[in-house]
Amino acid sequence: MFTLLSKKNLLIVLIFFVLYFFLGFLCFKHYGFAFDEDIQRQIGESNLKYIINYFGISHISSPEILYPHYGVSFEALALIVEKIFRVQDIHNQYLLRHFLIFLFSFIGVFFFFLLLFKRYRSTILSLIGCLLLILSPRFFAESFYNSKDIVFMYAFIISFYFSLLFLENPKTKNIIFFTLACAFLINIRVIGVILPLLVTIIFFIKYLRSDYKEFILYFFSYLFFLIIFTILMWPSLWSDPINGFINAFFVFKSYNIEIYNYYLGNYTNAKNIHWYYIPLWIFITTPPFILLMFFLGKVLLIKRVFGRLFSINNKDENKDLWRGSSELIDLISILSIILPICLTILLNSTLYNGWRHLYFVYPFLILISINPIYRLKIINQKLQKLSYLVIAVFSLYYSFWNFKFHPFQYSYFNILSGQKAHLNFDVDYWGLSNKYALEYIIKNNKYNSEKINVSNLSDTNLILNIKLLEKEKRAKINYVGEVMKSDFLIDNNIFFKPSNKKRREILEHFDIFHQLIIDNVLITSIYRKKI
């Protein structure tokens, strides 16, 4: 691919990714710790212990796998890196995790560039697409601490890129790369099977006019390697692959956790959310410019797909569902958005914490949003240059927004969400602001007591963020289970089971000490006990 780039363009691409890496390296230490990071690390550790015991390397008592229905590909890799570098202090262990999550995100953005270039054959459009992804506030922030949804999103992009190579030329090398990438994807989240299923359908359509024997050979080769690699990467499947995989799929469909989502000003059980839950979250957390360009691109693509569909002619190869790799990318992209959302609605899947379970559709949303800009080149080059100016303004605005509100970009809501979005939607569901709140208390506490008694009023994990403070700060905080014995309360307004009455009764004994407000959105409140 790089042979298609001039030396000047290659240099521009290199500078872009060096700057992105440098930015990530500067930022990865600034974010708080998500409430389930500890569990994710434990999942990786339990799988490594199981592997060590399975092969007789060392005998470990009770090597059961924690949450066997969760894939472990990234978690195991992160833990192996931690062990190789012998990182002992818990604070540094989790900082290393954050860096590794960013590193994987960096690789994912690079593959997104490859995908965009494969589609549009334009360096500037490909870099614009990468910039739109990087500058999307929530995705920028989560690329440092979200080892499930963001890592899955970028693994999906990498797998998608290799799927195109496989569809273009199903030789052994491409089959192995594609199935390895897909196995890694499925071992993060089982919903990753949607990509090989899509590819199978496209592959079948492609060979309708060809020798079916050739199709059967390639298909079974790809299926064989996919099954083998998936099982090899997923230790909990080793003893019973079929039942283990089926169980993981049904667990994903309906998590057996009693959690309430707060949206549109009401608490709703995560098992009984409205059909518009995902579309609504996409609508209020995506920058409006990207939404507008996506809707334009979607209309253009759907119109073309239906035009191709109704003009298919078995005797004329030029009248097919797609023409060339560019149209194929468009087709799979639109399906990669529509199918997961529709399946989620039809299966009434359990969803919580916004739309993070479907983050993997976002890069395809951006890919399609580039399409109208690409078409302007054909219609009017002056209009395309004007669109570059609009994109420059957008990029400057969101660069400033990200800089101003760093490291709380995860709280971003667009103008369509209305004023004070925290009154209608969950904001800090990961509990990331707990780190900020603890450090603020330590810095601004006027009492010279050796230990500061702190408790959390909301349901996010405060203990983990205390454990992950630097040693000297950690020594100053004492977690108190009984809130009435606390000097300070931290409340980021996240309640898995709402109990506002009890909360109001507690707060009668406390005064507001500090509130963190980002762009009119309240993230967390710190209360100090009345004297």
Side-chain angles (χ1 to χ4, degrees):
M1 187 215 80
F2 291 108
T3 57
L4 300 175
L5 294 174
S6 65
K7 289 184 179 179
K8 178 183 176 182
N9 286 343
L10 194 59
L11 180 62
I12 292 170
V13 172
L14 180 63
I15 291 171
F16 177 91
F17 279 97
V18 167
L19 289 175
Y20 176 42
F21 183 83
F22 183 67
L23 177 65
F25 187 77
L26 290 177
C27 293
F28 82 94
K29 293 182 180 180
H30 300 163
Y31 291 90
F33 302 96
F35 70 81
D36 65 349
E37 283 196 71
D38 190 38
I39 295 172
Q40 289 301 115
R41 185 178 176 278
Q42 288 176 37
I43 290 171
E45 192 168 36
S46 68
N47 275 270
L48 281 185
K49 287 180 178 178
Y50 180 86
I51 293 169
I52 290 169
N53 190 76
Y54 187 90
F55 288 104
I57 300 171
S58 176
H59 292 289
I60 302 170
S61 60
S62 302
E64 291 86 2
I65 294 175
L66 185 66
Y67 298 112
H69 47 272
Y70 285 172
V72 71
S73 49
F74 179 81
E75 301 302 337
L77 280 176
L79 201 64
I80 289 170
V81 173
E82 177 190 308
K83 299 300 182 185
I84 289 173
F85 288 97
R86 299 181 180 180
V87 182
Q88 300 296 326
D89 183 68
I90 189 170
H91 173 75
N92 293 329
Q93 287 173 349
Y94 282 83
L95 284 184
L96 175 62
R97 274 181 59 85
H98 284 199
F99 176 74
L100 293 174
I101 293 167
F102 166 71
L103 184 61
F104 192 86
S105 301
F106 175 83
I107 295 168
V109 173
F110 177 73
F111 271 90
F112 190 49
F113 171 83
L114 297 180
L115 176 60
L116 287 162
F117 190 84
K118 192 171 185 62
R119 168 58 185 91
Y120 295 111
R121 289 292 190 268
S122 166
T123 303
I124 187 168
L125 289 180
S126 301
L127 289 177
I128 285 172
C130 292
L131 193 63
L132 294 180
L133 179 56
I134 292 169
L135 290 179
S136 297
R138 285 179 173 252
F139 289 87
F140 181 84
E142 298 213 25
S143 64
F144 292 94
Y145 55 80
N146 190 339
S147 67
K148 293 187 290 187
D149 313 293
I150 289 295
V151 170
F152 182 82
M153 180 183 84
Y154 284 119
F156 202 98
I157 286 297
I158 295 168
S159 301
F160 184 85
Y161 178 77
F162 284 118
S163 75
L164 296 173
L165 300 185
F166 165 70
L167 288 169
E168 288 175 359
N169 186 3
K171 58 184 179 181
T172 304
K173 182 181 77 171
N174 289 339
I175 290 174
I176 290 174
F177 278 126
F178 171 52
T179 51
L180 268 173
C182 274
F184 188 89
L185 174 73
I186 294 166
N187 274 273
I188 300 171
R189 276 226 163 99
V190 71
I191 191 61
V193 297
I194 198 168
L195 181 60
L197 286 174
L198 268 176
V199 170
T200 300
I201 294 168
I202 297 295
F203 196 58
F204 176 74
I205 294 172
K206 178 183 176 183
Y207 279 88
L208 281 175
R209 289 196 176 99
S210 305
D211 184 358
Y212 72 93
K213 292 180 181 178
E214 192 177 28
F215 164 76
I216 291 172
L217 174 65
Y218 291 141
F219 173 72
F220 279 102
S221 297
Y222 134 71
L223 191 63
F224 171 78
F225 282 110
L226 179 63
I227 292 171
I228 293 299
F229 289 146
T230 300
I231 294 172
L232 285 175
M233 289 186 190
W234 201 336
S236 65
L237 298 185
W238 292 354
S239 59
D240 189 359
I242 296 174
N243 288 325
F245 188 83
I246 292 172
N247 180 57
F249 182 82
F250 280 101
V251 167
F252 175 83
K253 175 188 173 296
S254 183
Y255 292 104
N256 190 26
I257 303 175
E258 197 72 17
I259 289 179
Y260 284 78
N261 291 313
Y262 183 70
Y263 67 105
L264 296 178
N266 294 297
Y267 285 97
T268 304
N269 193 305
K271 296 178 181 179
N272 299 298
I273 59 172
H274 302 103
W275 68 266
Y276 52 79
Y277 180 79
I278 291 295
L280 173 67
W281 271 99
I282 294 174
F283 193 66
I284 63 174
T285 58
T286 300
F289 173 75
I290 295 177
L291 281 177
L292 175 63
M293 299 308 293
F294 167 70
F295 284 122
L296 288 174
K298 183 182 72 171
V299 169
L300 293 170
L301 293 183
I302 290 178
K303 181 181 177 182
R304 189 184 68 201
V305 168
F306 275 100
R308 294 278 190 266
L309 183 63
F310 291 115
S311 64
I312 291 176
N313 189 329
N314 290 333
K315 297 179 181 179
D316 187 350
E317 291 187 4
N318 291 319
K319 292 185 177 181
D320 214 333
L321 189 56
W322 68 85
R323 295 177 190 170
S325 62
S326 294
E327 289 193 10
L328 177 60
I329 293 171
D330 290 341
L331 177 63
I332 303 179
S333 295
I334 201 74
L335 290 174
S336 295
I337 296 172
I338 293 172
L339 285 181
I341 294 175
C342 289
L343 283 172
T344 299
I345 294 170
L346 291 172
L347 295 173
N348 193 30
S349 298
T350 302
L351 298 169
Y352 45 86
N353 305 147
W355 62 291
R356 65 182 182 86
H357 295 95
L358 291 181
Y359 273 176
F360 65 94
V361 308
Y362 191 67
F364 298 104
L365 190 146
I366 289 178
L367 187 146
I368 291 170
S369 72
I370 297 294
N371 196 273
I373 305 168
Y374 172 73
R375 293 197 180 205
L376 282 176
K377 184 178 180 180
I378 303 169
I379 300 169
N380 190 315
Q381 289 192 356
K382 289 184 178 180
L383 283 176
Q384 189 184 49
K385 289 180 180 179
L386 180 62
S387 71
Y388 290 159
L389 179 61
V390 174
I391 290 166
V393 172
F394 166 88
S395 300
L396 286 172
Y397 172 78
Y398 277 96
S399 295
F400 174 74
W401 199 99
N402 279 288
F403 174 77
K404 182 179 180 181
F405 298 119
H406 178 76
F408 306 104
Q409 296 97 329
Y410 56 82
S411 66
Y412 172 78
F413 286 89
N414 64 33
I415 194 171
L416 303 172
S417 65
Q419 292 293 318
K420 298 183 178 180
H422 60 276
L423 298 177
N424 293 305
F425 302 97
D426 282 333
V427 181
D428 187 18
Y429 45 74
W430 289 113
L432 293 151
S433 61
N434 286 334
K435 177 176 178 284
Y436 164 86
L438 289 166
E439 291 176 337
Y440 186 91
I441 291 169
I442 293 169
K443 184 178 179 181
N444 294 280
N445 178 39
K446 295 180 181 178
Y447 303 101
N448 294 321
S449 56
E450 292 184 5
K451 287 281 188 178
I452 305 170
N453 294 323
V454 179
S455 186
N456 54 324
L457 190 57
S458 49
D459 289 338
T460 56
N461 192 330
L462 183 60
I463 298 175
L464 177 63
N465 274 271
I466 293 173
K467 286 164 59 179
L468 298 180
L469 290 171
E470 292 91 335
K471 286 182 179 179
E472 60 275 12
K473 293 179 180 177
R474 202 184 310 159
K476 296 178 180 180
I477 296 291
N478 180 47
Y479 178 78
V480 181
E482 296 182 40
V483 294
M484 296 309 297
K485 294 182 179 180
S486 300
D487 301 316
F488 293 91
L489 291 180
I490 297 173
D491 176 20
N492 49 26
N493 203 35
I494 300 296
F495 299 96
F496 303 139
K497 292 183 180 181
S499 54
N500 289 328
K501 183 179 179 181
K502 182 181 178 182
R503 181 168 173 259
R504 285 195 298 268
E505 291 173 355
I506 293 170
L507 290 180
E508 289 176 0
H509 303 278
F510 290 82
D511 292 321
I512 291 177
F513 183 65
H514 174 69
Q515 287 187 318
L516 174 63
I517 298 174
I518 299 296
D519 202 16
N520 292 321
V521 176
L522 175 64
I523 297 181
T524 195
S525 300
I526 304 172
Y527 297 92
R528 184 172 59 187
K529 196 169 187 178
K530 292 179 180 179
I531 299 173

